Amino acid sequence: MKIDRRRFAQGAAALTLGAAAGPVLAQDATQPPQWEQAVAKILNSAKPVQGGKLQFEIPEIAENGNTVPFTLSADSPMTATDYVKTIHVISTGNPQPGVVTFKFTPESGKAAASSRMRLGRTQDVIVIAEMSDGKFLMAKKNVKVTIGGCGG
Amino acid sequence: MQKPRVKLPDSAKPGEIIEIKTLISHVMETGQRRDQDGKVIPRMIINSFTAKFAGKEVFAAEIHPGMSANPYIAFYMRVPGPGEFEFTWVDDNGDKGVEKVKLNVVA
């Protein structure tokens, strides 16, 4: 049973890949793209404030999509009652939208982090910060990718 | 799991905000790639990172396939006093990498 399912899944995935190159694999036409669903899940119908207090640094042009450095920081006093809880990083053009979710605490002192992500092609990258009072900040950057980083 | 690399300041004062840099070697296989026979290479990534100081969680990350291989994460902490860091990485197999590093706190 287990083997049959796996074989079926592999076959199905191979078919889909052959039929439609690109990130819209196995996606129901009536469903919004995966990254939109991921954003909606985080916001849970809250309205995010754009830009300003959330800084997102990433190169405008990434020569190698396998490793694109980025830095995030949100203005916050980081006290027990007023701090940044999480910052999510979402790709709009990778086969899977999730990149990373950083989880901060008042002990973090500073709501900032740096890391490196994969970008399969030229796309927008979205970052969303959730504050301890339930408010959200959002920022978006477009990155032009010369060589994609998803093994394609 | 391979031994991670961690960079802390040589010394820190209580109340100071310090940067912590971490790096671990890992293939971070996304589950999207195929081998020569066209078979999907199964997903195998580090999916979680946790940093504790003096037993208390100060920072964590949920990691998804969009993270680069050999994940590098840098973050901050306000030094509460003397103590030891405990960093934990966990991959899809449940394998753990744990690194303990004492912070040199000077008054």
Side-chain angles (χ1 to χ4, degrees):
Chain A
M1 178 65 192
K2 224 172 182 181
I3 292 166
D4 287 350
R5 278 182 58 186
R6 175 168 293 179
R7 279 198 183 142
F8 173 74
Q10 282 176 351
L15 275 175
T16 335
L17 193 79
V24 280
L25 296 179
Q27 189 176 286
D28 192 325
T30 58
Q31 292 271 322
Q34 277 190 22
W35 69 266
E36 278 186 26
Q37 295 179 41
V39 170
K41 201 176 158 195
I42 294 164
L43 293 176
N44 195 14
S45 69
K47 288 264 181 292
V49 178
Q50 300 283 338
K53 284 182 151 183
L54 177 59
Q55 290 91 40
F56 177 31
E57 291 167 36
I58 188 164
E60 275 178 43
I61 299 171
E63 280 183 16
N64 179 2
N66 274 312
T67 170
V68 185
F70 66 95
T71 297
L72 290 166
S73 65
D75 297 342
S76 165
M78 298 302 275
T79 61
T81 51
D82 183 2
Y83 66 99
V84 179
K85 282 168 72 178
T86 54
I87 300 183
H88 304 264
V89 182
I90 309 241
S91 134
T92 64
N94 283 359
Q96 297 167 93
V99 178
V100 65
T101 298
F102 296 120
K103 298 178 185 174
F104 303 95
T105 65
E107 288 74 28
S108 299
K110 194 165 156 183
S114 301
S115 187
R116 297 168 188 155
M117 76 173 87
R118 289 176 166 133
L119 291 173
R121 60 182 173 95
T122 296
Q123 60 180 279
D124 286 337
V125 180
I126 294 175
V127 294
I128 303 172
E130 184 181 359
M131 320 301 272
S132 56
D133 62 3
K135 291 201 175 92
F136 290 91
L137 307 175
M138 195 156 148
K140 188 166 82 175
K141 283 270 169 83
N142 185 267
V143 185
K144 291 191 171 39
V145 177
T146 320
I147 303 167
C150 287
Chain B
M1 213 177 271
Q2 293 219 19
K3 187 171 165 65
R5 282 197 283 164
V6 173
K7 182 115 173 50
L8 301 177
D10 294 337
S11 67
K13 290 177 182 153
E16 190 183 339
I17 294 174
I18 60 164
E19 186 178 26
I20 299 113
K21 294 178 177 175
T22 68
L23 182 72
I24 187 162
S25 295
H26 198 280
V27 57
M28 299 294 279
E29 193 60 62
T30 60
Q32 300 286 326
R33 294 199 314 147
R34 284 159 187 284
D35 63 17
Q36 287 179 334
D37 303 328
K39 281 202 291 189
V40 172
I41 305 170
R43 181 183 127 146
M44 178 55 187
I45 67 167
I46 289 177
N47 57 47
S48 119
F49 168 73
T50 313
K52 284 183 180 177
F53 186 75
K56 195 173 181 193
E57 186 174 311
V58 292
F59 176 86
E62 271 171 34
I63 303 171
H64 304 291
M67 191 78 142
S68 297
N70 307 325
Y72 162 81
I73 299 178
F75 59 97
Y76 294 86
M77 182 187 78
R78 186 184 286 129
V79 178
E84 188 182 58
F85 279 103
E86 186 183 310
F87 304 101
T88 308
W89 292 259
V90 185
D91 72 16
D92 287 341
N93 281 351
D95 280 346
K96 269 188 193 176
V98 180
E99 181 79 356
K100 293 183 180 180
V101 191
K102 202 163 178 252
L103 181 66
N104 179 22
V105 178
V106 292

